Amino acid sequence: MENFSGGVWRKQFWCVIFASFIFSFFLFYLDWSTIVRNEDVVQLSIKDYVYSIMGISPHPNSQLDRENWVEPMSQSPINTNRPERIRNISVSDNHEDFKRVLVNNSDDGIGDIEMDLDNIVEEGSDPCLGRYVYVHKLPSQFNSDILKDCRRLFPWTNMCHSLSNGGLGPQIENSEVFPRKGWFATDHFALDVIFHNRMKQYKCLTTNSSLASAIYVPFYAGFDIGRYLWGFNRSIRDSTSHDVMKWLTSRPEWKALGGGDHFLLAGRVTWDFRRVTDKDSDWGNNLMVVPPAKNMSMLVIESSPWHSNDFAIPYPTYFHPSTDSEVFQWQKKMRRVKKRYLFSFAGAPRPNQPGSIRSQLINQCQASKKCKLLECDKGGDICHSPSGIMKLFQNSVFCLQPPGDSYTRRSAFDSILAGCIPVFFHPGSAYTQYIWHLPRNYTKYSVFIPENDIRNGKVNIEWTLNRIPKEDVKAMRKEVVNLIPKLIYADPRSRLETLEDAFDIAVKGVIQRTNGLRQKLHGRVSTTTCKEEDSWKCNLFGTREEREWDQFFSIAKDVNS
Ligand SMILES: *[C@@H]1O[C@H](CO)[C@@H](O)[C@H](O)[C@H]1NC(C)=O
Ligand SMILES: *[C@@H]1O[C@H](CO)[C@@H](O)[C@H](O)[C@H]1NC(C)=O
Ligand SMILES: *[C@@H]1O[C@H](CO)[C@@H](O)[C@H](O)[C@H]1NC(C)=O
Ligand SMILES: *[C@@H]1O[C@H](CO)[C@@H](O)[C@H](O)[C@H]1NC(C)=O
Ligand SMILES: *[C@@H]1O[C@H](CO)[C@@H](O)[C@H](O)[C@H]1NC(C)=O
Ligand SMILES: *[C@@H]1O[C@H](CO)[C@@H](O)[C@H](O)[C@H]1NC(C)=O
């Protein structure tokens, strides 16, 4: 339940990220565009209208908790010494101007164009129009061969178990907490394969790429780098993704939009793919910073606030239903469950991380009779058990979700799944990340306490949460439970009847983006300009005017912390 993709390097890689971003600050200006509705083209026939809007040719016929993690970096001879390097960084990252279409979203994420389409296709044409996805037939070295290597996918655990059941992991049986079906001990980095398998169930696949709105590249980028993050030199870390890009850019499908309609999923945090320099000691590979990647949409479980080519989608949780009714039953149960604790926290402190508020949270929790603490550094087995975690969250009204090694945690999704209202301390932990999946109005489903107020000792959490009116808590809880279907990944071996899961919403988001790009090429959009480093703001608010959250994403603060 914890994001454990490294420990001490967290501060270090932030520094690198910030340094690169300072450079980018001056160098790169983006062209953000906003889609506008086009009343003036509606005189075309509906079909022509859709085709022209989409810019496509006419259709012929129509893991488990890892809080007890040993800091991996201390074992690695490579990837150290980051901070000293900051001011001396050379930006090998050869940014070009990056064109991006920003969709002016409605409150609930999925925006205007998609809504238009829904209305139009109901009138009888091909229901997949504007939704087709073409899946690249990649050589097996980029996906299935990587799985054969499952013992090596992650240096400290054998991932072979986690890859069973189409990537869902072993089924959880004989548990009092879960119903008999639909629950798995899913690894939080297993999304590469879950997503790919889920794609096989997508209703609008096409084998004709010129009909496709988006082109999926089934490269297991997360598994690939997982093998090499610790103790391998840069050329090894980069080699597979380099080969993938070489393969992609040589294909005719690439030429149509310069890769603008291509997307891939990397089931890890973006920082594992954003090495800026060519030094072996820097973290990760350079998958997301090479020029072809900048044209693509990269789906990750945590995106960068300062880059425009990555998009965050939910971490996988333990629940993978195969029918709608499994979801409804779980929601019903979560609506009714009685809560014993006002709030709870499951996690470990970050003693090596200056600025981490976790120890303060733990102190506050220990001092409160209404808080339940699960100290994951004290060797509690319960932190490793899906049922232990889910039971705690089910029993709590609020669940504290501070940043860990990076902004986000899988725990936030476990908490929503258990009907527990998440309490965030940094907007980068959810609000600026999962813009396709979570409501823009975050007060509907969560509580925000700025981390500085915790650091300065200004806020007593128990008091703050207690003070929220009962009616509001009830409304939030209701909203949290309503969110569940959108945040889970259905069992890829079957298909939900009516519900849209996290996968469906992610694909919608990608398609909306690529369709928007085509619109832009057809000159049908008005444009606003956004700098790439303002991505978080533009994604969320549509403009880059000053916001109260600027401080959370400013350079000075993080470099000092
Ligand atoms: C793919 O679709 C395009 C546009 O409709 C069509 O011209 C082409 O013949 C199709 N290709 C195949 C192999 O069906
Ligand atoms: C940059 O690094 C080089 C060696 O890597 C060092 O000699 C030089 O002093 C550094 N410059 C700054 C400004 O830190
Ligand atoms: C990287 O490591 C591999 C194997 O360990 C080695 O063959 C290769 O020469 C190294 N490359 C560089 C640039 O050091
Ligand atoms: C990225 O897209 C732009 C604009 O479509 C195109 O000019 C450029 O060649 C593309 N880059 C690559 C590496 O294909
Ligand atoms: C956000 O949601 C809250 C609670 O539902 C509501 O009171 C508030 O007016 C909403 N804010 C906006 C900007 O819609
Ligand atoms: C987005 O749409 C809203 C209303 O639909 C409008 O008020 C706002 O100005 C738009 N934002 C941009 C950046 O166009």
Side-chain angles (χ1 to χ4, degrees):
M1 54 146 268
E2 187 61 9
N3 184 340
F4 60 97
S5 54
V8 292
W9 56 269
R10 185 245 186 198
K11 187 177 97 198
Q12 300 168 348
F13 83 64
W14 284 123
C15 295
V16 175
I17 297 303
F18 280 112
S20 71
F21 150 46
I22 295 167
F23 282 90
S24 338
F25 192 97
F26 298 105
L27 294 178
F28 323 121
Y29 285 78
L30 302 184
D31 189 358
W32 296 76
S33 317
T34 303
I35 288 180
V36 291
R37 284 167 190 265
N38 286 288
E39 260 74 71
D40 54 337
V41 283
V42 182
Q43 72 261 28
L44 297 172
S45 80
I46 284 164
K47 211 168 168 186
D48 289 345
Y49 172 64
V50 175
Y51 287 139
S52 65
I53 255 196
M54 297 310 149
I56 54 178
S57 1
H59 196 298
N61 326 307
S62 207
Q63 156 142 94
L64 297 177
D65 324 307
R66 295 269 163 68
E67 283 282 1
N68 288 333
W69 189 245
V70 188
E71 291 295 344
M73 291 307 301
S74 54
Q75 307 173 0
S76 164
I78 287 191
N79 300 329
T80 50
N81 291 332
R82 201 170 305 262
E84 295 81 55
R85 192 166 289 116
I86 316 161
R87 274 169 217 86
N88 211 354
I89 218 163
S90 64
V91 180
S92 61
D93 191 9
N94 172 23
H95 291 252
E96 295 154 21
D97 275 4
F98 186 92
K99 301 258 190 278
R100 168 162 184 180
V101 174
L102 176 77
V103 176
N104 190 357
N105 271 320
S106 55
D107 182 59
D108 275 337
I110 301 303
D112 299 344
I113 280 294
E114 199 64 34
M115 299 305 173
D116 274 348
L117 259 187
D118 281 341
N119 294 335
I120 290 163
V121 290
E122 257 173 38
E123 292 178 32
S125 50
D126 176 6
C128 282
L129 207 55
R131 298 201 167 103
Y132 281 111
V133 171
Y134 173 82
V135 180
H136 255 312
K137 292 168 197 69
L138 281 190
S140 62
Q141 73 193 87
F142 300 127
N143 45 45
S144 53
D145 287 359
I146 297 179
L147 298 186
K148 287 185 194 146
D149 219 8
C150 59
R151 278 171 198 285
R152 289 207 311 132
L153 285 185
F154 197 70
W156 293 274
T157 44
N158 180 344
M159 289 278 284
C160 300
H161 267 316
S162 311
L163 295 176
S164 57
N165 291 317
L168 304 180
Q171 185 154 6
I172 301 173
E173 287 172 79
N174 303 325
S175 161
E176 289 162 24
V177 182
F178 304 123
R180 212 162 36 83
K181 281 187 69 195
W183 292 82
F184 300 82
T186 307
D187 188 275
H188 67 341
F189 286 156
L191 206 51
D192 289 29
V193 65
I194 298 174
F195 194 92
H196 185 198
N197 285 331
R198 196 56 196 73
M199 183 62 83
K200 293 171 186 163
Q201 297 283 349
Y202 183 63
K203 285 186 186 128
C204 300
L205 293 175
T206 176
T207 51
N208 185 345
S209 67
S210 50
L211 293 176
S213 289
I215 295 183
Y216 171 56
V217 181
F219 166 44
Y220 295 165
F223 291 157
D224 168 50
I225 191 60
R227 303 180 286 187
Y228 304 130
L229 277 173
W230 294 275
F232 290 87
N233 64 28
R234 160 181 69 83
S235 40
I236 289 191
R237 274 178 270 147
D238 291 349
S239 68
T240 326
S241 52
H242 174 262
D243 292 347
V244 168
M245 290 304 177
K246 211 169 132 195
W247 188 90
L248 283 178
T249 50
S250 69
R251 301 279 310 180
E253 293 86 1
W254 183 269
K255 309 242 152 49
L257 278 179
D261 51 358
H262 282 49
F263 71 106
L264 63 74
L265 173 117
R268 299 182 64 95
V269 295
T270 196
W271 315 113
D272 293 341
F273 309 97
R274 292 196 174 278
R275 195 190 64 243
V276 185
T277 73
D278 279 343
K279 295 181 176 144
D280 278 342
S281 50
D282 282 337
W283 183 257
N285 69 13
N286 63 1
L287 171 67
M288 300 201 179
V289 298
V290 295
K294 287 190 200 139
N295 282 8
M296 296 174 62
S297 306
M298 306 292 209
L299 307 185
V300 281
I301 50 180
E302 171 171 334
S303 65
S304 160
W306 311 289
H307 293 91
S308 56
N309 64 338
D310 59 0
F311 299 86
I313 67 173
Y315 283 67
T317 57
Y318 305 117
F319 187 32
H320 306 283
S322 40
T323 62
D324 283 5
S325 71
E326 284 173 38
V327 183
F328 297 142
Q329 275 165 23
W330 180 254
Q331 283 179 297
K332 198 166 153 194
K333 191 173 165 198
M334 288 308 100
R335 275 186 201 109
R336 289 181 180 171
V337 71
K338 291 258 188 309
K339 309 269 184 185
R340 284 171 60 197
Y341 312 110
L342 177 66
F343 64 116
S344 65
F345 176 58
R350 290 285 185 278
N352 301 327
Q353 207 173 286
S356 169
I357 55 166
R358 286 191 171 208
S359 51
Q360 277 115 316
L361 295 188
I362 290 171
N363 291 344
Q364 287 213 26
C365 187
Q366 278 167 334
S368 163
K369 286 200 176 66
K370 296 185 170 178
C371 184
K372 175 74 178 170
L373 181 65
L374 201 54
E375 283 181 282
C376 294
D377 56 335
K378 302 267 162 79
D381 278 348
I382 203 167
C383 281
H384 295 266
S385 106
S387 54
I389 293 288
M390 290 300 287
K391 200 168 166 186
L392 172 68
F393 289 172
Q394 279 178 40
N395 267 321
S396 316
V397 181
F398 297 98
C399 292
L400 307 186
Q401 301 296 349
D405 297 321
S406 58
Y407 290 144
T408 62
R409 310 173 81 200
R410 170 205 180 130
S411 183
F413 296 99
D414 290 337
S415 125
I416 292 175
L417 183 57
C420 182
I421 301 163
V423 181
F424 293 111
F425 302 87
H426 195 296
S429 294
Y431 311 147
T432 65
Q433 296 281 348
Y434 308 101
I435 51 168
W436 293 336
H437 292 80
L438 293 174
R440 257 140 230 267
N441 186 351
Y442 62 88
T443 58
K444 281 186 182 170
Y445 68 93
S446 71
V447 174
F448 182 59
I449 303 177
E451 57 179 2
N452 260 341
D453 291 353
I454 301 289
R455 263 188 216 115
N456 307 337
K458 267 204 277 184
V459 163
N460 178 298
I461 297 171
E462 181 187 323
W463 189 81
T464 306
L465 297 178
N466 244 340
R467 214 180 41 147
I468 302 174
K470 275 212 164 57
E471 282 311 301
D472 291 2
V473 175
K474 218 171 139 186
M476 276 193 266
R477 204 177 142 183
K478 191 173 163 202
E479 178 74 17
V480 162
V481 175
N482 286 344
L483 282 175
I484 291 175
K486 293 181 172 187
L487 303 181
I488 54 177
Y489 294 91
D491 188 326
R493 295 164 298 183
S494 51
R495 199 186 259 176
L496 299 183
E497 294 90 353
T498 62
L499 292 173
E500 290 192 321
D501 71 347
F503 167 88
D504 289 317
I505 293 171
V507 171
K508 253 188 173 177
V510 169
I511 286 179
Q512 190 180 30
R513 182 177 190 235
T514 54
N515 283 345
L517 196 73
R518 285 194 186 82
Q519 269 219 320
K520 195 179 139 53
L521 292 177
H522 288 71
R524 289 220 181 81
V525 287
S526 70
T527 56
T528 52
T529 309
C530 233
K531 288 189 224 138
E532 186 166 22
E533 95 258 2
D534 286 330
S535 292
W536 66 271
K537 210 188 292 188
C538 297
N539 283 337
L540 198 59
F541 304 113
T543 62
R544 45 181 295 264
E545 69 199 50
E546 224 167 276
R547 298 279 171 174
E548 60 180 319
W549 287 347
D550 285 2
Q551 47 153 335
F552 286 97
F553 300 102
S554 72
I555 312 155
K557 182 197 143 270
D558 280 71
V559 170
N560 292 338
S561 71

